[in-house]
């Protein structure tokens, strides 16, 4: 293209020389054509060069004319004609450069927005965007750091570049303003002397400020020229980049929030399903548990009413009636407790100093009588201090734990009860019940103290219960200001630890 | 990347070394030596032969010394090279009195300048290095040749000056003077020191216009330039074009060499004018 423009200029000069002085007047304006062509094609440098060349080519033709006639009106016209291609080339080329630069900037801004809105890791997107900005601004190097304070991250930088806490970039990130350097090699604000180069190295650090605050900083280095237009463009792009980063972050947060919400909704739905299943199971179990003693009560009472039964047999029947009535009473008590727990009304406790040892011993005697296959052991640690508890509630806690230990040790085995000061906790007593039963699978442990939960196990499938015992233990322990915990190994047994407050006068 | 790793102190004060004092000292020395040379030329029969060489050495040696001071930013270390180069210039000017072959000794000056400059890495800043792109050398030669050719066509067409073909002792002596003194000192000071210094501060156009204007002033003040309107106008036109062209070459290539070659090509054509 340059060759064509040059050829046109030379051809025009040839035509003028060949045609003589008369042609000069009319044809000289044609020098504008290749000049404007060059300006449109190559911008200000091309336009200026072509205009200059046109001037040089005309000069030997125009100057003798001026020399001959003096500085007449037509001579001035000739001089103006001499300068016109240069001026036109510069103006048109400059306008072309400006519009091209503006178009490039707009294109780059659009690409930046698109790049930041794309899917994928934000760091990678920012690296691409920084590179795009570097190219659009004609910079030699670009560095982009995102984040401020103690955790800035370099997302884009030339190979081997590192961020120093004392650098200009770090200064801007800490809240300083933009940094401009006319020559990085000779700028005395920078330490670590650098060998000078043949061209100035301009430097610019721009803070990336979004409406929500500073999100990072952008560093750019140029070799040679840094025009005011480029500086303005860099500021504009930095502003857009900051907004883009903020938007991308908000989008990420929104997506993360949506995912978390989805997970929570799924978990809650699953939990509701489980609860619904557990309630159905519970109703079935309750029906069964209520029907069994009722059937026994009905059967034995009918026998006693309809037949004459020998006194010995009648006494045995009445014993059965009594134990089934007690069982029915326990079920009703548990159901009442459950009702209180669900309504959020803790049981009114009458705290007193309770001798835990005496209570454990009494319960162990009762359980030992009714469960001869199990070996019950009791090991108080030293002089056991009394606990501050409601006697009935504590009794229910102990009975539930012992009942649980027996129920889930269907083949017998040792049931060990220990009590003593809780290790590491001031004024707390630890009561532990340990069995050698089937244990609890790890997956079931987090839900073991929930209501209606019964861990399925082939060995204990026939065990009776409403799945409320451990929920009651937890509720009662917490009502006392204590807690309950479990350790279990499937196939080896479980250990339940209840923490209860000691009686104040004993500490 | 310097902005990311170099320690930065926002409030650091720029230590400006005093440039004015050494520049003034060199300028005064230049004037004194030129005056002395002129006095010798006019008054002393015996030492008259030394008058002209002393003036030439004082002017061009002084320009080179000024460039050296600006290039080093006022730091010491310019005195030795400047004195040695001034002495070499004096020798070359004295030898040129003996004839064309004596003038050829001017050709040693650029080599000596490069050798002296090689001890100062800071002079890379003013473009004392080989250009990365060899095409810039060709472009420099072509630009100078174009301007020189245009000068010949234009002056022969308008002013009627005759053009002679290259050759002859006077022509060779003049070209040697351009190689070792005229173009060398102009490129060293105006494109090397001043343009580079101002380019860092004001950008290309400011630096190019300012350094070219000073270069023009230096030629217009030259007492040996013919005092006619057309020569003055021609000098302004062509030397401005040459200065801007050399500045562009310096900025594009990073080196002083293409601009120096452009000047040599231009002056080689200029010396073909019979009027000179």
């Amino acid at each position: 293209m340059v060759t064509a423009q040059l050829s046109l200029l030379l051809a025009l000069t040839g035509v003028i020389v060949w045609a003589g002085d008369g042609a000069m007047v009319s044809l000289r304006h044609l020098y504008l054509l290749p000049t404007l062509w060059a300006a449109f094609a190559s911008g200000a440098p091309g336009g200026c060069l072509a205009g200059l060349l046109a001037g040089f080519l005309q000069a030997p033709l125009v100057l003798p004319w001026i020399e001959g006639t003096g500085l007449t009106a037509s001579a001035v016209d000739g001089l103006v004609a001499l300068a016109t291609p240069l001026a036109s080339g510069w103006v048109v080329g400059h306008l072309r450069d400006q519009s091209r630069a503006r178009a490039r900037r707009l294109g780059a801004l659009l690409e930046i927005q698109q790049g930041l809105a794309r899917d994928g890791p934000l760091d990678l997107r920012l690296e691409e965007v920084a590179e795009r900005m570097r190219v659009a601004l004609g910079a030699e190097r670009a560095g982009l750091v995102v984040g401020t304070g103690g955790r800035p991250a370099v997302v884009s930088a030339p190979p081997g570049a590192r961020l120093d806490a004392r650098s200009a970039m770090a200064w801007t990130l800490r809240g300083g303003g933009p940094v401009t350097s006319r020559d990085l090699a000779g700028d005395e604000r920078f330490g670590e002397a650098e060998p000078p180069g043949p061209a100035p190295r301009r430097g610019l650090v721009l803070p990336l400020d979004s409406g929500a605050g500073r999100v990072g900083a952008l560093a750019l280095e140029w070799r040679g020229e840094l025009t005011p237009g480029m500086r303005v463009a860099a500021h504009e792009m930095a502003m857009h980049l900051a907004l883009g980063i903020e938007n991308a972050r908000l989008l990420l947060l929104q997506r993360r929030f949506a995912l978390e919400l989805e997970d929570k909704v799924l978990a809650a739905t699953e939990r509701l399903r489980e609860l619904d299943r557990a309630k159905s199971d519970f109703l079935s179990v309750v029906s069964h548990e209520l029907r069994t003693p009722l059937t026994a009560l009905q059967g034995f009472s009918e026998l006693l009413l309809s037949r004459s039964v020998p006194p010995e047999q009648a006494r045995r029947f009445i014993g059965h009636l009594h134990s089934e009535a007690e069982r029915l009473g326990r079920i009703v008590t548990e159901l009442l407790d459950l009702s209180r727990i669900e309504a959020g009304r803790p049981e009114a406790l009458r705290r007193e100093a309770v001798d835990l040892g005496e209570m454990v011993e009494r319960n162990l005697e009762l359980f030992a009588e009714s469960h001869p296959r199990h070996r019950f052991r009791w090991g108080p640690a030293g002089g056991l201090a009394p606990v501050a508890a409601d006697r009935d509630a504590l009794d229910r806690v102990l009975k539930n734990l012992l009942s649980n230990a027996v129920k889930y040790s269907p083949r017998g085995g040792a049931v060990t009860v220990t009590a003593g000061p809780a290790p590491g906790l001031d004024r707390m007593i630890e009561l532990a019940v340990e069995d050698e039963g089937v244990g609890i699978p790890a997956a079931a442990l987090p839900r073991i103290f929930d209501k209606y939960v019964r861990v399925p196990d082939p060995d204990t499938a026939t065990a009776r219960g409403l799945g409320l015992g451990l929920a009651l233990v937890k509720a009662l322990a917490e009502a006392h200001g204590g807690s309950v915990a479990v350790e279990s190994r499937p196939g080896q047994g479980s250990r339940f630890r209840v923490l209860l407050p000691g009686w104040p006068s004993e500490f | 990347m310097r902005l990311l790793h170099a320690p930065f102190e926002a409030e650091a004060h720029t230590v400006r070394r005093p440039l004015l004092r050494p520049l003034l000292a060199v300028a005064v020395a230049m004037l004194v030596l030129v005056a002395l040379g002129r006095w010798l030329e006019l008054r002393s029969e015996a030492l008259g032969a030394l008058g002209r060489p002393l003036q030439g050495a004082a002017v061009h040696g002084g320009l080179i010394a000024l460039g050296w001071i600006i290039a080093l930013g006022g730091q010491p270390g310019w005195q030795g090279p400047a004195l040695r180069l001034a002495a070499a210039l004096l020798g070359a000017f004295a030898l040129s009195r003996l004839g064309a072959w004596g003038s050829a000794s001017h050709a040693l000056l650029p080599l000596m300048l490069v050798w002296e400059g090689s001890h100062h890495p800071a002079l890379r800043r003013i473009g004392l290095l080989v250009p990365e792109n060899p095409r810039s050398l060709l472009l420099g030669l072509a630009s100078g040749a174009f301007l020189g050719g245009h000068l010949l066509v234009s002056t022969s067409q308008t002013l009627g000056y005759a053009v002679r073909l290259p050759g002859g002792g006077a022509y060779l002596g003049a070209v040697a003077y351009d190689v070792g003194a005229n173009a060398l000192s102009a490129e060293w000071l105006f494109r090397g020191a001043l343009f580079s210094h101002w380019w860092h501060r004001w950008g290309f156009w400011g630096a190019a216009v300012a350094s070219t204007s000073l270069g023009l002033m230096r030629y217009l003040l030259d007492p040996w330039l013919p005092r006619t309107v057309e020569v003055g106008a021609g000098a302004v036109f062509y030397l401005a074009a040459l200065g801007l062209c050399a500045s562009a070459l310096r900025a594009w290539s990073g080196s002083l060499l293409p601009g120096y070659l452009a000047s040599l090509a231009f002056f080689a054509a200029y010396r073909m004018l019979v009027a000179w």
Side-chain angles (χ1 to χ4, degrees):
Chain A
M1 193 180 284
V2 175
T3 314
Q5 291 155 7
L6 197 63
S7 303
L8 191 56
L9 279 169
L10 292 174
L12 187 59
T13 310
V15 169
I16 291 171
V17 170
W18 174 74
D21 285 350
M24 184 66 208
V25 177
S26 51
L27 293 180
R28 63 190 178 186
H29 300 296
L30 290 179
Y31 276 110
L32 278 174
L33 289 177
T35 305
L36 294 180
W37 182 11
F40 277 122
S42 316
C48 286
L49 270 178
L52 204 63
L53 195 61
F56 275 117
L57 289 173
Q58 287 185 72
L61 305 167
V62 174
L63 293 179
W65 186 28
I66 297 168
E67 183 98 3
T69 59
L71 206 63
T72 59
S74 56
V76 172
D77 180 57
L79 279 175
V80 171
L82 202 67
T84 301
L86 177 61
S88 307
W90 181 77
V91 170
V92 172
H94 190 62
L95 287 174
R96 177 260 191 199
D97 286 345
Q98 276 189 336
S99 62
R100 281 270 176 105
R102 193 164 294 142
R104 261 202 312 273
R105 258 161 32 204
L106 279 174
L109 287 176
L110 281 175
E111 282 186 21
I112 287 169
Q113 299 297 345
Q114 280 176 345
L116 287 171
R118 268 205 307 270
D119 280 337
L122 183 59
D123 286 1
L124 282 181
R125 283 183 283 155
L126 286 174
E127 196 176 350
E128 284 172 18
V129 163
E131 177 58 17
R132 181 70 191 86
M133 281 182 75
R134 186 191 71 75
V135 173
L137 292 167
E140 194 180 36
R141 296 170 185 179
L144 176 61
V145 176
V146 174
T148 53
R151 291 186 304 133
V154 180
V155 293
S156 174
R162 60 189 166 78
L163 178 65
D164 190 286
R166 297 167 299 161
S167 65
M169 176 67 107
W171 182 77
T172 301
L173 287 171
R174 280 197 299 272
V179 176
T180 308
S181 176
R182 284 184 302 211
D183 184 20
L184 288 166
D187 197 327
E188 295 188 9
R189 291 175 299 169
F190 292 88
E192 293 178 10
E194 192 175 78
R201 278 179 47 221
R202 321 284 183 182
L204 198 57
V205 182
L206 297 169
L208 300 178
D209 290 328
S210 72
R214 189 154 295 180
V215 295
L218 175 72
L220 294 158
E221 285 183 13
W222 286 266
R223 184 177 178 275
E225 282 303 283
L226 171 58
T227 60
M230 277 159 70
R231 200 174 295 142
V232 169
H235 276 276
E236 276 177 12
M237 285 196 180
M239 209 165 64
H240 279 267
L241 183 59
L243 292 174
I245 290 173
E246 188 63 27
N247 286 343
R249 278 185 171 179
L250 288 175
L251 194 67
L252 273 181
L253 274 178
Q254 196 184 1
R255 282 181 186 164
R256 200 177 301 153
F257 179 70
L259 282 175
E260 280 175 10
L261 198 64
E262 198 180 319
D263 286 348
K264 280 181 182 168
V265 168
L266 280 174
T269 310
E270 185 57 29
R271 179 110 184 90
L272 282 174
R273 277 196 194 122
E274 274 179 19
L275 210 58
D276 189 49
R277 253 197 317 270
K279 275 209 167 183
S280 301
D281 292 349
F282 173 73
L283 283 176
S284 155
V285 170
V286 165
S287 315
H288 178 74
E289 290 288 318
L290 287 174
R291 196 185 303 131
T292 307
L294 278 174
T295 307
L297 286 172
Q298 199 175 9
F300 284 118
S301 58
E302 275 176 10
L303 270 176
L304 286 171
L305 286 171
S306 60
R307 294 183 193 176
S308 100
V309 181
E312 281 302 313
Q313 199 174 8
R315 188 177 176 77
R316 211 169 62 242
F317 284 175
I318 289 166
H320 288 318
L321 282 172
H322 179 71
S323 68
E324 291 303 327
E326 272 188 339
R327 188 174 154 198
L328 199 57
R330 279 200 303 276
I331 291 171
V332 170
T333 308
E334 279 190 5
L335 286 173
L336 284 173
D337 287 341
L338 172 68
S339 160
R340 269 199 295 271
I341 292 169
E342 287 204 324
R345 288 183 282 108
E347 194 173 7
L349 301 174
R350 292 187 300 279
R351 290 171 193 267
E352 58 184 307
V354 179
D355 183 351
L356 194 56
E358 184 270 326
M359 184 178 279
V360 171
E361 281 165 10
R362 185 163 45 78
N363 274 290
L364 286 186
E365 272 174 27
L366 285 173
F367 271 80
E369 275 178 23
S370 53
H371 301 89
R373 290 171 66 189
H374 292 83
R375 300 187 307 281
F376 291 91
R377 295 176 189 157
W378 163 232
L384 185 59
V387 292
D390 181 295
R391 188 176 294 278
D392 289 342
L394 187 57
D395 192 55
R396 286 219 296 285
V397 167
L398 190 57
K399 277 196 168 71
N400 268 314
L401 289 176
L402 287 170
S403 165
N404 229 43
V406 167
K407 203 188 294 178
Y408 291 100
S409 308
R411 292 172 190 162
V415 175
T416 308
V417 182
T418 55
L425 291 170
D426 194 24
R427 299 186 179 189
M428 295 297 277
I429 303 292
E430 183 184 277
L431 168 69
V433 177
E434 190 172 355
D435 64 58
E436 294 175 346
V438 295
I440 306 163
L445 280 176
R447 296 183 295 114
I448 199 69
F449 293 106
D450 288 357
K451 298 183 294 266
Y452 320 126
V453 170
R454 299 183 73 205
V455 178
D457 188 280
D459 289 343
T460 59
T462 54
R464 287 173 168 184
L466 300 179
L468 291 172
L470 289 176
L472 278 172
V473 168
K474 183 171 184 274
L476 289 171
E478 286 174 356
H480 279 87
S483 63
V484 62
V486 61
E487 297 155 16
S488 183
R489 296 172 76 178
Q492 294 187 25
S494 306
R495 183 167 186 263
F496 288 87
R497 291 182 298 119
V498 180
L499 288 177
L500 293 163
W503 187 247
S505 63
E506 295 299 322
F507 289 92
Chain B
M1 193 174 182
R2 200 157 162 74
L3 292 168
L4 261 68
H5 72 77
F8 174 75
E9 201 178 330
E11 303 299 325
H13 297 288
T14 306
V15 181
R16 288 191 184 280
R17 291 182 185 82
L19 268 178
L20 195 60
R21 188 176 290 179
L23 289 177
L24 273 177
V26 169
V28 168
M30 270 172 75
L31 289 174
V32 168
L33 288 173
V34 168
L36 179 65
R38 187 71 182 151
W39 182 79
L40 286 174
E41 196 180 353
L42 296 175
R43 296 290 175 84
S44 172
E45 284 291 324
L47 294 171
L50 263 180
R52 203 77 189 251
L54 186 59
Q55 290 175 64
V59 169
H60 296 290
L63 292 178
I64 288 174
L66 291 175
W68 212 294
I69 292 167
I70 296 166
L72 293 185
Q75 286 179 336
W78 59 270
Q79 295 91 338
L83 282 173
R84 285 192 288 275
L85 282 161
L89 273 167
L90 184 63
F93 276 111
L95 283 172
S96 66
R97 308 280 295 177
L98 302 176
W101 290 109
S103 299
S105 60
H106 273 111
L108 293 174
L109 266 297
L111 301 176
M112 190 175 169
L113 185 65
V114 169
W115 183 79
E116 290 282 2
S118 65
H119 299 105
H120 293 269
L123 296 179
R124 282 174 55 84
R125 188 179 161 88
I126 66 163
L128 192 68
L129 44 84
V130 177
E132 285 175 15
N133 188 351
R135 283 197 304 175
S136 61
L137 300 176
L138 285 177
L139 190 63
L141 272 177
S143 312
F146 172 76
L147 284 173
H150 192 276
L151 169 77
L152 294 180
V153 171
S154 185
T155 47
S156 59
Q157 288 273 316
T158 58
L159 305 172
Y161 282 90
V163 176
R164 67 181 168 194
L165 288 174
Y171 178 79
L172 287 177
V175 169
Y177 160 74
D178 291 330
V179 169
N182 181 29
L184 184 71
S185 64
E187 288 305 309
W188 177 259
L189 175 62
F190 299 114
R191 245 64 63 195
L194 289 174
F195 172 79
S196 302
H197 187 65
W198 288 328
W199 187 25
H200 287 75
R201 291 160 178 261
W202 305 334
F204 174 79
W205 283 108
V209 168
S211 59
T212 302
S213 304
L214 282 183
L216 264 178
M217 211 183 294
R218 165 250 179 278
Y219 280 105
L220 294 177
L221 290 175
D222 189 342
W224 295 328
L225 193 75
R227 295 281 152 201
T228 58
V229 174
E230 66 269 17
V231 171
V236 169
F237 180 76
Y238 287 105
L239 290 175
L242 182 66
L244 292 175
C245 180
S247 299
L249 286 166
R250 158 74 183 89
W252 176 58
S253 68
S255 168
L256 282 174
L257 205 50
Y260 177 62
L261 289 179
S263 292
L264 289 183
F266 173 78
F267 282 108
Y270 169 67
R271 303 296 178 191
M272 290 183 199
L273 287 174
V274 173
W276 180 85

